[in-house]
Amino acid sequence: MEQTTIDLLTRIADALDRLAPSRVAAVDLTQADAFVWHPSPAHLAPVRTISRVEIGLLKGVDRQKSILVENTLRFARGLPANNAMLWGARGMGKSSLVKATHAVANQENPGCLVLIEIHREDIRTLPDLLNLLRPESRRCLILCDDLSFEKEDADYKALKSVLDGGIEGRPDNVLFYATSNRRHLMPRDMIDNERSTAINPNESIEEKVSLSDRFGLWLGFHNCDQPTFLAMIDGYAANIGLPITTEALHAEAVEWSVTRGARSGRVAWQFIQEMAGRLGVVTKDVQAFPDR
């Protein structure tokens, strides 16, 4: 009987251990200039080489580039700065601009700024990440790429309280940047449905769209015209040294954009990859990977 009781208590203890919150591993932000947040088990995984594009290769977003760089440099220097929302057209370099801006800050003052990526599905654990970073001396830029919320998704409430609410507030050494294809982070049909079914439509809509108000900076990205698209092509081609005339390159690029039905930084880089393959040019060492 005693052994049976011991075995039962052991199983109960093991089950409670599994249910208990995982211990957060000690953070060492000197390991790298970039990390990825993993909430289970809770730790920051260092990123030795960041996949990014040089800021000079980002075309057609000069105004957005100037504003975001200035805001990031202020934060890196210990001055007040705003959380930023980069929203708009796909493939126009929103997250590429964030990563390039991080590089600019660290070029000015090496090691001054840590870039931390948090995945969309882990956004509810953002308070845990902030508590981990609060006592750190290094300044941290948190990036959530492709942030959006769907119906029955309550994670946005946690994000709202972290960005601009709560008695603790956002740590002084942390800034939050997010990219999204949606201006208000939620689909239009979700907003319309709330308006048509809620007892007080205005209050219901305000509750959801107010999340985007927590971002001091809103930077819109829009589809590019053909001259801008060709400027992107020329920049990438010069960067990797494609052995082709400008006229031939532009003719191929226009045909490529027509077949894809789109013009963007992502489409431009995909075209460059195609031409580099045709012409036998290796691009593996080129840091040019536009994303959302």
Side-chain angles (χ1 to χ4, degrees), residues 24 27 29 35 37 44 114 116 126-142 171-175:
V24 178
V27 60
L29 296 182
F35 297 82
W37 166 246
L44 287 168
V114 178
I116 300 174
L126 184 57
D128 297 330
L129 174 58
L130 295 189
N131 288 333
L132 183 67
L133 299 175
R134 195 177 297 274
E136 296 299 318
S137 59
R138 290 190 76 181
R139 302 185 77 76
C140 304
L141 176 61
I142 299 178
D172 292 336
N173 64 325
V174 173
L175 199 63

Side-chain angles (χ1 to χ4, degrees), residues 102-222:
H102 168 253
V104 169
N106 280 341
Q107 286 170 1
E108 178 183 273
N109 184 7
C112 68
L113 191 59
V114 178
L115 180 64
I116 300 174
E117 181 180 44
I118 182 171
H119 297 137
R120 158 64 189 88
E121 58 270 20
D122 298 328
I123 203 69
R124 70 182 61 188
T125 67
L126 184 57
D128 297 330
L129 174 58
L130 295 189
N131 288 333
L132 183 67
L133 299 175
R134 195 177 297 274
E136 296 299 318
S137 59
R138 290 190 76 181
R139 302 185 77 76
C140 304
L141 176 61
I142 299 178
L143 167 63
C144 184
D145 191 21
D146 199 22
L147 179 63
S148 63
F149 301 96
E150 305 297 337
K151 297 178 182 178
E152 309 302 328
D153 190 345
D155 288 354
Y156 72 92
K157 294 182 179 180
L159 182 57
K160 281 173 62 176
S161 64
V162 165
L163 291 180
D164 199 32
I167 60 175
E168 286 186 305
R170 173 170 56 88
D172 292 336
N173 64 325
V174 173
L175 199 63
F176 187 82
Y177 286 176
T179 73
S180 179
N181 295 331
R182 300 167 178 169
R183 183 175 183 180
H184 291 294
L185 300 175
M186 298 179 184
R188 171 58 60 182
D189 64 337
M190 181 177 175
I191 296 176
D192 291 341
N193 183 63
E194 290 285 348
R195 184 177 287 114
S196 63
T197 60
I199 295 176
N200 190 324
N202 289 336
E203 287 184 1
S204 181
I205 297 304
E206 285 297 321
E207 164 72 11
K208 290 180 169 55
V209 303
S210 64
L211 172 58
S212 56
D213 293 339
R214 263 61 176 183
F215 294 91
L217 288 182
W218 279 16
L219 300 177
F221 290 68
H222 309 285

Side-chain angles (χ1 to χ4, degrees), residues 63-114:
R63 176 180 173 276
Q64 298 91 324
K65 187 190 308 184
S66 175
I67 293 173
L68 194 68
V69 167
E70 181 181 354
N71 189 67
T72 307
L73 289 178
R74 284 204 305 264
F75 173 68
R77 294 165 184 159
L79 298 172
N82 276 305
N83 298 315
M85 164 62 66
L86 289 71
W87 66 275
R90 301 185 306 273
M92 284 303 295
K94 295 186 288 296
S95 58
S96 289
L97 179 55
V98 174
K99 291 183 285 187
T101 301
H102 168 253
V104 169
N106 280 341
Q107 286 170 1
E108 178 183 273
N109 184 7
C112 68
L113 191 59
V114 178

